[in-house]
Amino acid sequence: MYVSKIFRMAVCYIFSLIYIFIICSATVFEPEKTIKKGVIYKKGAVEDENGKSNVNILEISPDAKNLKISPTLPNGYVIGSQFLKDQALAANKDGLTAIAGINCDMFVMDDKMMVSLGTPINATIIDGVLYNSSHYAYEAKNLPVFGVDDSGSPFLGHIYITCDIKITDKYGKVHSEKSSVLNHNYGGFADLAIFTRKINDEHRLEFLDYEDNALQGVKKDKCNLYIVSGVNDADNIRAGVSYNGKIEAVLHSELEAEIPEGCIVIADIFHLISYAGEGMAVEFTFSVDEIDKKENIICNRNNLVQCVGAYNWIVKNGIVQTEESFEEQGFPPIDYIINTKTAKTGIGIKEDGTIIAATVDEAFSSVGMTMEEWGNFFASQGAVNAVNFDGGGSTEMILINSENGLDTVNSPTGGGSREIATGLLLLSEDGKFNGYDEPEKDMFIIIAASVLGVMTLILIINTTVKSVKKRHNKNK
């Protein structure tokens, strides 16, 4: 009887260990998957006392070949929103294939700003073409960007886009003006603003009216619009290139204008160029400069060919940003943005130039991360610099599957993808890549685990009952 009891107990322990092993094996990190040579995908979870947070990670080696990193916009225009997958599918042309992507910049979501809905808050550059600037120097010095220069090197920093304008009046006098607003049609303006046909799919400028929105609108009686025609390649304005045209028309006290082909529009909100008139020559040149916290120019960055906006640093020069550092920066609001566990998207750079793009979920069993935890996560992955993109319901990572379709591999907050403004895509230039599929649950393992669990439970109950009976009989 004693040998039989020992045997039963041993079987119980063995079955229990097997059951625990099977169940636990389902929660470990999945093996790395090479999406393309130099591009690795990892999926797993980070656990702490508050629970686990599901993360998705893309690592892009500096040695990756035939790979293009490019921002994307809804339908290729500044204003609007579109699902990340649709933006990625639209990029599948000219021999390029979107193999992965993440969401990026925050954007206008206020229904009271319908004519600006979807505008990214920071600068966007795609293939060297300037799409939009940040709104103010204040924003530029506080909101970082991620970019790639013409040598393929990644960049994290602060840039300020400005434009030097020269207008020759009817007397031959040249007037020098300055603009720092490109394709932003909301908010107060301290200078001139320039608009191209990239602003929206209707190629139409429309300001918010001050009468409807005093905070973000423009006073009609103070706004003149100058249509500048004859601009070479006006739809693809680049930094460091001098463009010429002439004022074809002046729309006085107007908040709307069509932007014809070969034209740009200069918006004068405070009658700064009231001397300008039809037929006058205009020359303008944009510049992209890296700036510091005091708005001083560090160096010229006209060589940035790709650029997309972020919201805040999470790791800077190897230092994880904490609640204290955010408070010192006056970063608002601490409780809502910094200390709340939410879904997040971010990107970082290792010392060797490896790029890390990642998402963390706040859905189902995943609790999300605070901003400091997000920084610690990137630091644990080796990032010496990292920034945070838009998060919450916008957080999304997509990957190409084995059938060359695109799947969302994270679990978006709210249960489904959200239309967004900007994204960042990885594009294969040679058609060589590996599709990824979510691993299917192995039914054999599930059935085996269930059977073993039931058998273990029966043996434990059986052994316990017999032990109780034996003790009861001894006490008689």
Side-chain angles (χ1 to χ4, degrees):
M1 290 292 293
Y2 181 74
V3 174
S4 176
K5 179 179 178 181
I6 295 296
F7 175 76
R8 286 197 300 271
M9 291 297 291
V11 171
C12 286
Y13 285 129
I14 291 171
F15 278 1
S16 296
L17 289 172
I18 293 173
Y19 181 71
I20 290 170
F21 172 77
I22 291 173
I23 296 302
C24 289
S25 67
T27 62
V28 298
F29 276 73
E30 297 174 10
E32 294 181 353
K33 172 71 174 180
T34 299
I35 303 301
K36 182 179 177 63
K37 188 175 181 180
V39 181
I40 294 172
Y41 168 67
K42 296 183 287 187
K43 185 183 183 78
V46 176
E47 295 197 43
D48 60 20
E49 66 276 7
N50 297 311
K52 72 172 183 177
S53 296
N54 297 328
V55 293
N56 292 271
I57 308 166
L58 283 167
E59 283 196 7
I60 303 100
S61 167
D63 299 323
K65 305 295 183 184
N66 299 309
L67 182 73
K68 180 179 178 180
I69 302 174
S70 176
T72 181
L73 285 162
N75 300 306
Y77 295 99
V78 173
I79 298 178
S81 61
Q82 187 180 31
F83 291 114
L84 180 59
K85 285 182 186 177
D86 292 333
Q87 293 187 35
L89 290 172
N92 290 343
K93 57 185 179 182
D94 302 326
L96 299 174
T97 304
I99 60 173
I102 56 172
N103 69 290
C104 291
D105 204 355
M106 293 192 176
F107 54 96
V108 175
M109 296 182 68
D110 189 345
D111 288 341
K112 296 178 181 178
M113 299 171 62
M114 288 301 295
V115 300
S116 307
L117 212 60
T119 306
I121 64 173
N122 211 335
T124 311
I125 303 172
I126 304 176
D127 294 337
V129 176
L130 307 182
Y131 277 76
N132 66 280
S133 66
S134 54
H135 209 160
Y136 310 102
Y138 177 82
E139 286 185 344
K141 73 177 183 179
N142 286 301
L143 304 176
V145 300
F146 170 80
V148 179
D149 66 23
D150 55 10
S151 70
S153 298
F155 168 81
L156 283 173
H158 298 262
I159 66 165
Y160 191 37
I161 297 177
T162 57
C163 183
D164 290 316
I165 306 171
K166 294 181 179 179
I167 302 174
T168 304
D169 66 22
K170 60 183 179 180
Y171 303 107
K173 182 181 179 180
V174 177
H175 300 258
S176 295
E177 308 291 350
K178 196 89 169 180
S179 173
S180 60
V181 179
L182 173 64
N183 286 335
H184 259 289
N185 63 340
Y186 67 90
F189 295 89
D191 54 17
L192 305 174
I194 293 179
F195 297 88
T196 73
R197 286 162 59 88
K198 295 290 188 187
I199 188 169
N200 54 39
D201 57 3
E202 296 179 343
H203 315 302
R204 181 178 181 82
L205 165 62
E206 183 177 355
F207 282 113
L208 290 170
D209 194 326
Y210 180 85
E211 296 295 327
D212 300 324
N213 191 322
L215 181 62
Q216 303 290 356
V218 171
K219 292 184 177 180
K220 191 172 184 178
D221 62 346
K222 292 184 178 297
C223 184
N224 291 334
L225 305 179
Y226 297 82
I227 312 297
V228 179
S229 64
V231 179
N232 184 44
D233 205 15
D235 289 352
N236 298 292
I237 299 297
R238 299 172 183 272
V241 178
S242 180
Y243 295 90
N244 292 278
K246 71 174 183 177
I247 299 174
E248 182 176 288
V250 182
L251 306 180
H252 296 283
S253 300
E254 290 289 343
L255 298 180
E256 300 180 29
E258 298 289 342
I259 308 177
E261 288 187 26
C263 295
I264 66 162
V265 172
I266 299 176
D268 180 10
I269 311 301
F270 296 112
H271 297 169
L272 300 177
I273 55 173
S274 55
Y275 60 84
E278 292 182 10
M280 292 184 183
V282 176
E283 180 183 350
F284 62 96
T285 306
F286 279 92
S287 181
V288 177
D289 296 301
E290 183 178 358
I291 62 172
D292 63 18
K293 277 290 186 181
K294 295 183 178 179
E295 301 177 24
N296 297 315
I297 294 176
I298 298 173
C299 64
N300 180 262
R301 289 287 180 179
N302 283 351
N303 65 337
L304 276 182
V305 292
Q306 315 290 357
C307 174
V308 67
Y311 195 57
N312 60 282
W313 292 90
I314 48 177
V315 183
K316 194 170 186 180
N317 299 323
I319 300 173
V320 174
Q321 303 298 286
T322 64
E323 179 180 346
E324 290 74 21
S325 61
F326 285 121
E327 285 178 340
E328 289 175 3
Q329 299 166 33
F331 195 89
I334 295 295
D335 289 337
Y336 176 67
I337 294 182
I338 304 303
N339 292 331
T340 303
K341 287 179 176 287
T342 60
K344 289 178 170 60
T345 307
I347 199 164
I349 305 173
K350 293 185 179 182
E351 191 71 50
D352 65 357
T354 297
I355 298 170
I356 307 166
T359 62
V360 60
D361 290 335
E362 184 201 6
F364 302 106
S365 60
S366 182
V367 298
M369 293 186 187
T370 66
M371 206 66 76
E372 186 172 343
E373 289 170 344
W374 195 216
N376 282 323
F377 169 75
F378 268 88
S380 74
Q381 299 299 307
V384 293
N385 287 294
V387 295
N388 176 59
F389 287 129
D390 193 8
S394 296
T395 285
E396 185 171 15
M397 180 182 288
I398 59 174
L399 280 182
I400 195 164
N401 60 35
S402 59
E403 297 180 350
N404 293 350
L406 291 166
D407 292 332
T408 298
V409 294
N410 70 308
S411 298
T413 303
S417 300
R418 169 191 288 174
E419 290 189 354
I420 60 167
T422 54
L424 190 68
L425 303 178
L426 302 185
L427 303 168
S428 174
E429 297 178 315
D430 59 2
K432 296 179 180 179
F433 49 84
N434 302 308
Y436 170 83
D437 286 318
E438 290 279 1
E440 295 181 0
K441 290 180 170 59
D442 193 324
M443 294 307 298
F444 172 78
I445 292 178
I446 294 174
I447 293 170
S450 300
V451 171
L452 286 171
V454 172
M455 290 176 64
T456 300
L457 183 61
I458 291 172
L459 283 169
I460 290 173
I461 293 172
N462 185 42
T463 301
T464 302
V465 169
K466 289 188 176 183
S467 178
V468 170
K469 283 183 178 180
K470 186 176 180 179
R471 289 179 183 176
H472 178 71
N473 292 333
K474 278 185 178 182
N475 293 331
K476 280 185 176 181

